[in-house]
């Protein structure tokens, strides 16, 4: 999926070179997630990548994005904070810490959600083992009529 998204964006990079930033972010952060899952699933290591290795990888991608943003594209440190709606120019060290906090926090939140999603899928799979074959799982859970009660068709 990451390759498809980046292939589509690559078509438009010629007209808008700024698309390199989300491409690097998608590929960089996606590669770290892929390596973690690969280690868990194919190398049969239930721990996956160590937390230090993940954070190091995320940090490297974050630094690469900051270098692209500040040095290559020379975009500066002006940003708009939500709810204020006025541009604020941050000092360079503050801007770097702010962007690093946003990127690392967001990627860790996605990783946490990905783990919860895996737990959820495993729980549904276990629940499905007890359901009769071919039966709607919502019927088995007693939820199939809920959609009609909510008038969602």
């Amino acid at each position: 999926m990451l390759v498809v998204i980046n292939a589509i964006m690559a078509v438009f990079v010629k007209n808008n070179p700024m698309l390199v930033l989300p491409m690097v972010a998608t590929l960089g952060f996606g590669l770290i997630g892929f390596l973690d899952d690969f280690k868990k699933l194919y190398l049969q290591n239930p721990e996956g990548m160590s937390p230090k290795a993940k954070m190091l990888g995320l940090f490297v991608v974050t630094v690469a994005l900051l270098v692209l943003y500040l040095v290559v594209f020379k975009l500066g440190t002006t940003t708009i904070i939500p709810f204020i709606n006025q541009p604020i120019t941050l000092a360079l060290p503050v801007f770097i810490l702010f962007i690093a906090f946003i990127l690392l926090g967001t990627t860790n939140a996605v990783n946490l959600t990905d783990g919860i999603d895996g737990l959820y899928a495993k729980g549904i799979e276990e629940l499905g083992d007890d359901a009769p074959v071919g039966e709607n799982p919502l019927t088995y859970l007693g939820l199939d009529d809920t959609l009609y009660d909510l008038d969602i068709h």
Side-chain angles (χ1 to χ4, degrees):
M1 184 67 164
L2 294 176
V3 174
V4 172
I5 291 170
N6 279 286
I8 292 169
M9 283 196 303
V11 171
F12 298 104
V13 165
K14 186 184 253 184
N15 296 333
N16 188 359
M18 294 287 295
L19 285 175
V20 168
L21 289 169
M23 289 174 68
V24 169
T26 304
L27 288 174
F29 294 134
L31 179 65
I32 294 165
F34 172 78
L35 292 174
D36 185 37
D37 290 346
F38 181 82
K39 197 168 184 181
K40 286 178 187 175
L41 297 174
Y42 293 104
L43 300 180
Q44 301 299 317
N45 181 346
E47 299 298 319
M49 291 175 68
S50 71
K52 287 181 182 178
K54 277 190 227 177
M55 282 305 293
L56 178 64
L58 296 174
F59 182 75
V60 167
V61 174
T62 300
V63 168
L65 287 167
L66 281 166
V67 167
L68 281 170
Y69 187 88
L70 294 170
V71 178
V72 175
F73 292 114
K74 295 177 175 63
L75 293 175
T77 62
T78 301
T79 187
I80 295 178
I81 307 289
F83 307 113
I84 296 175
N85 292 329
Q86 290 192 10
I88 297 174
T89 301
L90 301 173
L92 185 61
V94 173
F95 181 79
I96 289 171
L97 289 174
F98 176 71
I99 296 300
F101 176 76
I102 297 294
L103 290 175
L104 293 173
T106 302
T107 55
N108 278 303
V110 169
N111 285 338
L112 177 65
T113 313
D114 182 39
I116 291 171
D117 186 36
L119 291 173
Y120 174 76
K122 182 65 175 166
I124 293 298
E125 176 186 318
E126 292 296 324
L127 190 65
D129 289 343
D130 298 332
V133 175
E135 187 173 329
N136 181 350
L138 293 175
T139 303
Y140 179 73
L141 294 171
L143 299 174
D144 61 336
D145 293 331
T146 306
L147 294 176
Y148 294 105
D149 293 341
L150 296 173
D151 197 28
I152 299 173
H153 301 285

